[in-house]
């Protein structure tokens, strides 16, 4: 059974710092991995999607990497801003038949002005 | 991307009553998905809704408790029936563009049962 963990559970940094969020999964047979952002009490916003054949994806100040063989993904946020404060979730998709995501528990990020 | 509108955004309901949550997508999609996020927890898939057929429920979720409708390719509803305080959660709908596996979510419905 696929299990997804995220470290750290919570992180507080001053504005301007570069930071790394970690996601680990136990079964390397994944179809893709997606990073989301969730603001308190709200839905999810898709940040980056990495296909299983890819090693990384970039969007603006965000860079996500994937090492499928070791069961790891990282989300790198450059020059953090208070507006980046949110919970960041990673989710792995087992296959492309339906939306059978397994979500991690999330990393709660606070960026202090 | 996909634009998903979910209604209501939040509600406080009495135990024993039912609430229907609506999900509207800005384009036609084959499958729509409903999730539950209990307080402090991550997301759990409730069911997959295909147009023209009955929804497929995940283990631990049943149609009598969470009936789903999917009348067309842009709309779905989830009803939370005979509610108890344990049903207090955020409920989210999600879609994928046909042919792609990137998932997009609505803004969620925050349900509190008192």
């Amino acid at each position: 059974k696929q299990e997804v963990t995220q470290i750290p559970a919570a992180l507080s940094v001053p504005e301007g710092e570069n930071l790394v969020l970690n996601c680990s999964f136990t079964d390397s047979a994944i179809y893709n991995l997606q990073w989301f952002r969730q603001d308190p009490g709200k839905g999810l916003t898709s940040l980056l999607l990495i296909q299983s054949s890819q090693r990384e994806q970039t969007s603006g100040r965000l860079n996500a990497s994937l090492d499928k063989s070791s069961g790891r993904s990282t989300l790198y946020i450059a020059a953090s801003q208070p507006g980046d404060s949110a919970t960041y979730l990673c989710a792995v998709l087992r296959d492309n038949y339906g939306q059978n995501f397994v979500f991690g528990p999330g990393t709660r990020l606070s960026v202090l002005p | 991307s996909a634009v998903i509108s979910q209604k209501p955004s939040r509600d406080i309901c009495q135990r024993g009553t039912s609430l229907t949550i609506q999900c509207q997508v800005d384009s036609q999609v084959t499958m729509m998905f409903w999730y539950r996020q209990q307080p402090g927890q991550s997301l759990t898939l409730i069911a997959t809704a295909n147009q023209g057929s009955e929804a497929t429920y995940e283990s631990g979720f049943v149609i009598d408790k969470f009936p789903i409708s999917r009348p067309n390719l842009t709309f779905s509803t989830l009803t939370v029936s005979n509610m108890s305080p344990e049903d207090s959660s955020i409920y989210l709908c999600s879609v994928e563009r046909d042919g792609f596996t990137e998932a997009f979510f609505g803004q969620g419905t925050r349900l509190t049962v008192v």
Side-chain angles (χ1 to χ4, degrees):
Chain A
K1 180 187 172 186
Q2 179 74 273
E3 292 183 0
V4 180
T5 56
Q6 290 185 246
I7 294 174
L11 182 63
S12 185
V13 300
E15 182 176 6
E17 275 205 6
N18 303 324
L19 54 100
V20 175
L21 309 181
N22 298 289
C23 172
S24 297
F25 46 95
T26 55
D27 186 347
S28 63
I30 65 170
Y31 189 79
N32 65 34
L33 183 146
Q34 196 163 350
W35 282 92
F36 296 91
R37 166 190 173 135
Q38 185 175 31
D39 292 288
K42 301 292 187 180
L44 275 64
T45 300
S46 177
L47 298 175
L48 289 166
L49 168 70
I50 311 178
Q51 301 291 351
S52 62
S53 59
Q54 297 175 321
R55 302 246 346 143
E56 67 178 330
Q57 283 287 328
T58 298
S59 176
R61 294 183 293 108
L62 305 179
N63 175 275
S65 67
L66 175 64
D67 184 342
K68 207 173 71 162
S69 61
S70 67
R72 293 182 181 176
S73 176
T74 61
L75 179 66
Y76 176 82
I77 302 176
S80 58
Q81 304 170 357
D84 294 330
S85 298
T87 296
Y88 290 80
L89 297 163
C90 73
V92 298
L93 190 66
R94 183 175 61 218
D95 53 50
N96 64 342
Y97 301 110
Q99 196 175 83
N100 40 12
F101 279 116
V102 178
F103 279 86
T107 293
R108 191 169 64 252
L109 172 65
S110 296
V111 181
L112 306 175
Chain B
S1 65
V3 178
I4 304 168
S5 300
Q6 215 177 304
K7 293 179 181 178
S9 59
R10 58 173 56 210
D11 207 342
I12 301 173
C13 300
Q14 296 290 324
R15 65 176 68 201
T17 63
S18 298
L19 176 72
T20 296
I21 302 168
Q22 300 179 2
C23 182
Q24 178 79 50
V25 191
D26 67 339
S27 61
Q28 295 182 345
V29 293
T30 302
M31 292 190 286
M32 297 177 75
F33 307 88
W34 288 98
Y35 287 82
R36 179 176 74 181
Q37 187 177 28
Q38 295 177 298
Q41 309 275 326
S42 196
L43 280 73
T44 302
L45 182 64
I46 297 172
T48 301
N50 291 329
Q51 192 265 338
S53 63
E54 284 211 357
T56 303
Y57 289 82
E58 299 298 310
S59 175
F61 297 97
V62 295
I63 188 171
D64 290 346
K65 177 66 176 177
F66 297 102
I68 288 171
S69 78
R70 183 79 201 274
N72 58 52
L73 291 173
T74 63
F75 187 79
S76 179
T77 67
L78 169 76
T79 298
V80 186
S81 303
N82 188 25
M83 289 183 286
S84 68
E86 292 71 35
D87 294 319
S88 298
S89 298
I90 298 174
Y91 292 85
L92 301 107
C93 71
S94 174
V95 304
E96 296 168 356
R97 292 283 192 195
D98 288 357
F100 299 88
T101 54
E102 184 172 6
F104 300 96
F105 284 78
Q107 286 303 293
T109 295
R110 188 168 208 168
L111 171 62
T112 302
V113 183
V114 297

